[in-house]
Amino acid sequence: MAFINLDARCLYTVLICGLFNCISSFNVEMKVNPPRDFQIIDLGYLGCLYLQWRPPLLLDNFKECSVEYELKYRNLGGERWKTIITTKLYYKDGFDLNKGVEAKVHTLLSECTNGSGFQSSWSEATYRTHLEGNLETKIQDMNCIYYNWQYLLCSWNLSSHVPLDTNYHLFYWYDGLDRATECDKYIIFNGKNIGCKFPYLKSSDYKNFYICVNGSSHSMSIRSSYFIFQLQNIVKPLPPDHLALTVKDSNDIDLKWDVPKGPIPARCFIYEILLSEDNSTWVV
Ligand SMILES: *[C@@H]1O[C@H](CO)[C@@H](O)[C@H](O)[C@H]1NC(C)=O
Ligand SMILES: *[C@@H]1O[C@H](CO)[C@@H](O)[C@H](O)[C@H]1NC(C)=O
């Protein structure tokens, strides 16, 4: 008798727990549909990608709710997801196209009940550019400097693992250009492109600047390299103008200079002076 009672109570508990689990997961996951047709779209902007989706089909009892989307994305293999909450149906950001991209989005509903909100399961998408050629065929040691906040110059070294007929080409894009544009003034060494002198760049600061250097050869595929930076972070100012040194007596030396010419405001500069009396020890 005692045994039977115990069994029945256990069974009852199991049933209640099972039912409860089912209700709570039904509220959180099942009822709200995820966004539809989630896609990662590459319009050829060398790393600026659009993540876009269509609204979920909503059941009648959610019609009153306010709808938001939580979007998470990262480069493949990256540690941290970037998280965005938006009411829009797209988002755009810059990605490192040397790697793939993964992203997911789900629907968030709020203000439809007095309790907590609802969320859907995730819609997921991944993207990878078609990377041909093996890693050794990439350019080496890319270096870009924005001289005096006026002239952008990039240079690179050739890979030593490519056929003799290989040449490289640089393309760039930033928000404001219609399409990815090829460098029109290469720096050439022994018939090969080893750098680019950019033209005047209009409204190009404080936004992502995207570069792709790809290559071609008749006998093998050459791996493309992608870069993203912001121009104001790679500025190298000119040295001060008109440096003049006046020796008044052995204890009194005047050093004067002018602010370097160009678009950088005088208040942005600080100067460093190196002094030596005997050419062997220098003082800062
Ligand atoms: C939430 O809704 C339930 C059922 O509609 C109602 O009984 C309850 O009073 C509400 N609570 C609040 C805090 O509005
Ligand atoms: C190099 O990249 C540009 C811009 O994306 C593209 O138009 C061109 O076809 C590419 N060239 C090669 C050889 O892959």
Side-chain angles (χ1 to χ4, degrees):
M1 224 26 210
F3 272 112
I4 294 167
N5 267 338
L6 199 62
D7 277 2
R9 232 180 287 150
C10 276
L11 187 64
Y12 188 57
T13 316
V14 168
L15 272 176
I16 288 185
C17 290
L19 192 62
F20 200 71
N21 271 339
C22 180
I23 286 174
S24 63
S25 69
F26 187 66
N27 274 342
V28 173
E29 292 278 356
M30 309 278 281
K31 273 188 180 170
V32 185
N33 288 312
R36 285 176 297 160
D37 302 334
F38 182 40
Q39 294 181 69
I40 301 176
I41 297 176
D42 184 352
L43 297 173
Y45 296 147
L46 314 181
C48 174
L49 301 179
Y50 285 80
L51 311 173
Q52 96 180 17
W53 56 93
R54 293 203 299 138
L57 295 170
L58 284 183
L59 298 174
D60 285 344
N61 44 337
F62 293 124
K63 286 274 154 60
E64 317 271 288
C65 309
S66 72
V67 181
E68 287 179 319
Y69 305 98
E70 183 181 24
L71 172 69
K72 286 179 179 280
Y73 58 90
R74 64 180 178 187
N75 269 117
L76 277 175
E79 283 178 14
R80 270 201 211 149
W81 294 92
K82 265 200 187 172
T83 302
I84 302 294
I85 293 186
T86 179
T87 54
K88 293 193 181 135
L89 295 171
Y90 70 91
Y91 193 77
K92 111 186 150 169
D93 202 355
F95 293 88
D96 175 2
L97 291 191
N98 299 301
K99 301 172 195 155
V101 170
E102 57 183 328
K104 52 189 184 177
V105 65
H106 68 177
T107 316
L108 300 178
L109 296 182
S110 56
E111 290 160 24
C112 32
T113 59
N114 57 13
S116 56
F118 299 89
Q119 60 189 43
S120 74
S121 58
W122 295 99
S123 297
E124 300 183 15
T126 56
Y127 178 74
R128 210 182 257 286
T129 37
H130 197 59
L131 287 175
E132 291 187 331
N134 66 55
L135 275 173
E136 296 184 325
T137 61
K138 285 173 142 195
I139 55 157
Q140 311 282 313
D141 312 318
M142 177 72 148
N143 185 26
C144 293
I145 296 177
Y146 199 26
Y147 286 98
N148 210 30
W149 211 307
Q150 281 176 307
Y151 311 105
L152 177 62
L153 198 145
C154 290
S155 59
W156 57 84
N157 290 323
L158 306 173
S159 161
S160 48
H161 299 89
V162 292
L164 281 176
D165 73 332
T166 305
N167 207 355
Y168 293 98
H169 300 273
L170 180 147
F171 294 81
Y172 63 99
W173 183 81
Y174 59 89
D175 194 356
L177 296 185
D178 293 346
R179 66 177 85 89
T181 305
E182 185 171 2
C183 174
D184 64 355
K185 222 173 178 188
Y186 283 109
I187 302 167
I188 297 171
F189 180 74
N190 283 343
K192 307 285 183 196
N193 298 334
I194 57 155
C196 177
K197 288 179 190 159
F198 289 75
Y200 169 70
L201 301 164
K202 197 174 154 217
S203 315
S204 53
D205 309 338
Y206 300 105
K207 52 175 83 161
N208 287 339
F209 194 94
Y210 301 88
I211 289 181
C212 169
V213 181
N214 58 19
S216 54
S217 153
H218 288 297
S219 49
M220 93 171 31
S221 299
I222 306 298
R223 177 68 74 96
S224 303
S225 300
Y226 293 89
F227 306 89
I228 314 180
F229 48 81
Q230 300 213 349
L231 291 180
Q232 77 280 357
N233 295 336
I234 56 163
V235 171
K236 186 180 174 113
L238 290 175
D241 254 354
H242 304 126
L243 183 64
L245 188 139
T246 321
V247 183
K248 291 183 173 161
D249 56 58
S250 60
N251 289 320
D252 205 356
I253 297 172
D254 266 6
L255 201 55
K256 275 190 163 179
W257 59 88
D258 288 341
V259 175
K261 287 202 186 61
I264 308 176
R267 67 186 147 80
C268 296
F269 291 108
I270 49 174
Y271 302 93
E272 183 181 69
I273 300 164
L274 278 174
L275 284 177
S276 169
E277 285 187 86
D278 56 8
N279 244 335
S280 61
T281 47
W282 291 85
V283 193
V284 179

